[in-house]
Amino acid sequence: MRQVCPWCDTEIVWDEETGAEDLCPHCFNMINEYRTLGVTLEESGEAEEKSDQPLASEGGGVLPRNWDQFDKQVQHYMEGQQDEAECEHCQEPMIAAGEMEVDRSRFLPRIPELGGPPLLQPPFALTLFVCPYCFVTKNKLSPGDQTRITAILENKKFR
Ligand SMILES: [Zn+2]
Ligand SMILES: [Zn+2]
C-alpha cells in the first residue's frame, strides 16, 4: 500500500498489516485527512516486487527545512558507530542505539552435528539498530562477535 505525502512528496510504503497511519514517517505531518489525495499506486503483485527497491527520490532535496536539523542529528547519533544497518521499510540508514548482552540464561547454543564448536556461544552481544524514520528496530550480531563467527567458519579443521 503506497501513498504520496502531500507535505514532503515522499512516497510512503505502508506496512501491509498495520495499514496507513496518520503521520508521515518522513516529515511527521498529519496526512490522514488528505488520504483522498493519496496516490494509490498499483495494487497488483507488481507493487510488491518493487517494494524492496530503494525509493527513487531519496535524497532528492524534497525535504522541508525542518529536516535539516533532524538529519544533522541523525548523523550526530550515527557518528562513530561500528556497524551499519539499513531499514527494510524505509531503506534509510539505522542508528545503532546500543548493545544487548545475551547470557547463558537466554541462549542455548546448538552443537554442530558433524563436530566443532557451536557457531555462537553466550555471552555475546546484539547491536540494536533503530530506524529514525519509522522506529522499526533490528538486531545484528555485535562486530566483536561477528569476528568470532568468521574465525570459526574459517577454521579448516572442521571442513
Ligand atoms: Zn511527509
Ligand atoms: Zn524505517
Side-chain angles (χ1 to χ4, degrees), residues 87 89-91 131 133-136:
C87 176
H89 185 69
C90 316
Q91 281 88 38
C131 173
Y133 302 95
C134 72
F135 306 108
V136 154

Side-chain angles (χ1 to χ4, degrees), residues 5 9 18 31 35 44 48 50-51 53 73 76 78 92 94 96 98 110 112 116 132 134-135 139 142 146 152 154 158:
C5 172
D9 286 337
T18 53
I31 51 176
R35 196 164 281 171
S44 64
E48 290 191 7
K50 285 178 183 170
S51 66
Q53 289 175 10
Q73 285 292 85
H76 175 83
M78 289 179 61
E92 295 283 353
M94 301 173 88
R110 189 174 77 85
C134 72
F135 306 108
N139 294 331
S142 70
Q146 291 175 18
I152 287 173
E154 280 178 347
F158 299 110

Side-chain angles (χ1 to χ4, degrees), residues 2 5 9-10 17 19 27 42 53 66 92 97 102 115 120 122 128:
R2 290 170 181 227
C5 172
D9 286 337
T10 302
E17 281 173 30
C27 66
E42 59 281 293
Q53 289 175 10
N66 60 353
E92 295 283 353
V102 179
L120 197 53
L128 180 78

Side-chain angles (χ1 to χ4, degrees), residues 18-117:
T18 53
E21 289 162 38
D22 292 348
L23 293 180
C24 169
H26 286 262
C27 66
F28 304 105
N29 281 306
M30 288 286 291
I31 51 176
N32 195 22
E33 52 217 67
Y34 290 91
R35 196 164 281 171
T36 48
L37 296 178
V39 180
T40 307
L41 301 179
E42 59 281 293
E43 301 269 27
S44 64
E46 207 181 321
E48 290 191 7
E49 276 173 42
K50 285 178 183 170
S51 66
D52 45 16
Q53 289 175 10
L55 301 182
S57 62
E58 219 69 271
V62 291
L63 300 175
R65 276 197 192 144
N66 60 353
W67 270 89
D68 288 351
Q69 184 57 27
F70 185 94
D71 285 340
K72 268 189 204 133
Q73 285 292 85
V74 169
Q75 289 307 315
H76 175 83
Y77 276 90
M78 289 179 61
E79 189 64 38
Q81 76 183 41
Q82 284 182 286
D83 201 357
E84 32 186 65
E86 188 180 76
C87 176
E88 285 157 22
H89 185 69
C90 316
Q91 281 88 38
E92 295 283 353
M94 301 173 88
I95 300 172
E99 297 207 335
M100 294 188 291
E101 292 285 338
V102 179
D103 61 23
R104 278 161 214 286
S105 67
R106 292 174 57 202
F107 187 84
L108 184 66
R110 189 174 77 85
I111 309 297
E113 273 181 32
L114 300 179

